[in-house]
Structure formats: structure tokens, C-alpha cells
């Protein structure tokens, strides 16, 4: 089973809302990732967690707040977003960090009004 | 430079072979990947190749790696309309950060 699940599939929010994106994997992977993808562009790395600790933060604005409550779950809390934050948000996981293969979820399509 | 480069668009007829090319930058990259993305979907891992290999074949997919020229290619035999998608190559430099190319849009005409 190489499945990463993400909820919700679609999300529309206003600039003053607070919402969360969720990601789950049951492959026993110890590294999890958040990516942002704009249309017709490659994914851009946002955050990496390894063994539930934040390992990489690619200078992401503080209106995005990641959380890794356990080894299977990864959340992305959203607050005071801007319309330019509208994108596809992808979660991925890998057995470990380093050279391990990353498996992606289906993404959450976020629209900020 | 830091970029992984791909051509942006490829159009083929159904039943033909497709070849998608990629040049990467870091000779120390350990794994190189091909991901497929259909409209509105996430990235599907198609195949990968370890840097000490020259070729890998998996059903209709053949990956060729020329490490000297830092050139990677993906050949899809007997291309079908269901193969229409964006194909991303990516290199893993061992840091946990994937470096993606810009993606090649494959259009398959019936």
C-alpha cells in the first residue's frame, strides 16, 4: 500500500478564515512533506518533518503553520491567507529522509477569496 | 546552474513511442525520478533509477540515464490517450529535497 490520503479535496476560504489541511499515511514512513503547486508549475517544497520534528522550513510565511501530531498524520493550519495562496497543496511521505522515494497524495485544491 | 530542465511540450500519435528528456545538475544525485500528473490530481510515481544504473525497464516504460552528460530520458512504448499528462523528472540530492523540472506536457492524439 503506497497511499497517502488528503482531506479535504477542495477548500474555499476567505482571507479572515482559519482552516486546516490534513494528510495521513499508514506505510510506516517517518518523513512527511508539504508542497505547494501552482497551475502548470512543478511542486515547491514548503516543510519537511522527520520523526515528527520539523526538519526543513523553506522560508514559508507564518500564515502557514505545520503540525505533525504523530508519525502518521501531518496538518497544515491556514490563517489570514492571501488570494495568491490559492494553489494545489500536496502532501508526500517517504520511509526516511535523504534519498528515500517520496509518495504523493492527491492534493487539496485551495481557493482563497 | 541549479535547474533541472525539460522541454515543455510533446505531441505524439496514439500507438507511437514517446520520449521525454531531462537534464539534471548534480552528479552526486543518488536517485532520479519520473512522476506523472493528470489534470486535477496529485503526482503519481512512475519509475525511478539509481544513479549507478544505465537503464531500467518496467513494462511500457524505459528509463535511460547518461551520467556523463547528466541526461535522463523516459520512453513510453505504444503511447495511449490515457498517457496524456504532465511528466516531471526530479533529482534527489540526498537532503530530502526533490529538485523538479518544469514538467513536460504530453499530448496523445488519436
Amino acid at each position: 500500500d503506497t497511499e497517502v490520503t488528503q482531506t479535504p479535496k477542495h477548500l474555499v476560504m476567505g482571507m479572515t478564515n482559519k482552516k486546516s489541511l490534513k494528510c495521513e499515511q499508514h506505510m510506516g514512513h517517518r518523513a512527511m512533506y508539504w508542497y505547494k503547486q501552482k497551475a502548470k508549475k512543478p511542486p515547491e517544497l514548503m516543510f519537511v518533518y522527520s520523526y515528527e520534528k520539523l526538519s526543513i522550513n523553506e522560508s514559508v510565511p507564518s500564515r502557514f503553520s505545520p503540525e505533525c501530531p504523530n508519525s502518521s498524520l501531518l496538518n497544515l493550519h491556514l490563517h489570514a491567507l492571501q488570494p495568491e495562496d490559492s494553489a494545489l497543496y500536496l502532501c508526500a511521505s517517504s520511509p526516511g529522509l535523504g534519498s528515500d522515494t517520496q509518495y504523493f497524495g492527491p492534493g487539496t485544491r485551495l481557493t482563497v477569496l | 546552474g541549479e535547474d533541472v530542465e525539460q522541454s515543455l511540450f510533446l505531441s505524439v500519435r496514439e500507438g507511437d513511442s514517446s520520449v521525454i528528456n531531462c537534464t539534471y545538475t548534480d552528479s552526486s544525485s543518488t536517485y532520479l525520478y519520473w512522476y506523472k500528473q493528470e489534470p486535477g490530481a496529485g503526482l503519481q510515481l512512475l519509475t525511478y533509477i539509481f544513479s549507478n544504473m544505465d537503464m531500467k525497464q518496467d513494462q511500457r516504460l524505459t528509463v535511460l540515464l547518461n551520467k556523463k552528460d547528466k541526461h535522463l530520458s523516459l520512453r513510453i512504448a505504444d503511447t495511449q490517450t490515457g498517457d496524456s499528462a504532465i511528466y516531471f523528472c526530479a533529482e534527489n540530492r540526498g537532503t530530502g529535497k526533490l529538485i523538479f523540472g518544469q514538467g513536460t506536457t504530453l499530448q496523445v492524439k488519436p
Side-chain angles (χ1 to χ4, degrees), chain A residues 33 35 37 40-43 45 56 58 88 90 97-106, chain B residues 30-31 33 35 37 40-43 45 48 86 88 92 94-98 100-102:
Chain A
Y33 309 75
Y35 287 84
Q37 187 182 26
K40 307 285 188 192
K41 297 292 186 183
L45 183 65
I56 298 175
E58 291 285 295
L88 182 67
L90 294 164
L97 267 188
S99 302
D100 286 359
T101 300
Q102 295 182 28
Y103 297 89
F104 284 79
Chain B
T30 50
Y31 283 95
Y33 301 91
Y35 287 92
Q37 188 173 35
L43 271 67
L45 177 67
Y48 60 90
I86 301 177
F88 291 100
N92 188 325
T95 62
K97 183 175 178 178
L98 286 178
F100 286 93
Q102 289 300 305

Side-chain angles (χ1 to χ4, degrees), chain A residues 5-13 19-24 34 74-76 78 87-91 105-111, chain B residues 40:
Chain A
T5 59
Q6 291 187 243
T7 55
K9 191 172 173 61
H10 300 278
L11 179 62
V12 179
M13 60 186 291
K19 296 286 184 184
S20 296
L21 309 185
K22 295 186 184 302
C23 174
E24 192 166 2
W34 280 116
L74 185 66
N75 298 322
L76 186 64
L78 314 172
L88 182 67
Y89 287 83
L90 294 164
C91 174
T108 293
R109 173 73 60 191
L110 174 67
T111 304

Side-chain angles (χ1 to χ4, degrees), chain B:
Chain B
E2 289 289 313
D3 293 341
V4 175
E5 295 187 354
Q6 298 178 240
S7 53
L8 293 181
F9 185 78
L10 176 66
S11 181
V12 300
R13 293 225 171 263
E14 195 173 14
D16 288 350
S17 292
S18 307
V19 179
I20 303 172
N21 295 302
C22 172
T23 54
Y24 62 100
T25 57
D26 191 337
S27 58
S28 65
S29 290
T30 50
Y31 283 95
L32 296 140
Y33 301 91
W34 285 104
Y35 287 92
K36 174 185 180 182
Q37 188 173 35
E38 297 183 35
L43 271 67
Q44 174 193 351
L45 177 67
L46 274 184
T47 187
Y48 60 90
I49 188 166
F50 190 51
S51 58
N52 68 353
M53 297 169 67
D54 297 324
M55 185 181 94
K56 181 179 180 182
Q57 190 152 2
D58 183 2
Q59 299 183 328
R60 292 191 297 122
L61 305 178
T62 303
V63 179
L64 295 177
L65 176 61
N66 181 328
K67 202 171 177 185
K68 174 177 168 290
D69 294 336
K70 299 191 188 70
H71 183 263
L72 181 72
S73 68
L74 174 69
R75 178 177 180 269
I76 306 173
D78 187 25
T79 312
Q80 303 297 307
T81 54
D83 295 323
S84 294
I86 301 177
Y87 290 80
F88 291 100
C89 69
E91 60 174 328
N92 188 325
R93 298 176 181 172
T95 62
K97 183 175 178 178
L98 286 178
I99 310 298
F100 286 93
Q102 289 300 305
T104 299
T105 298
L106 176 64
Q107 179 189 68
V108 183
K109 296 179 181 177

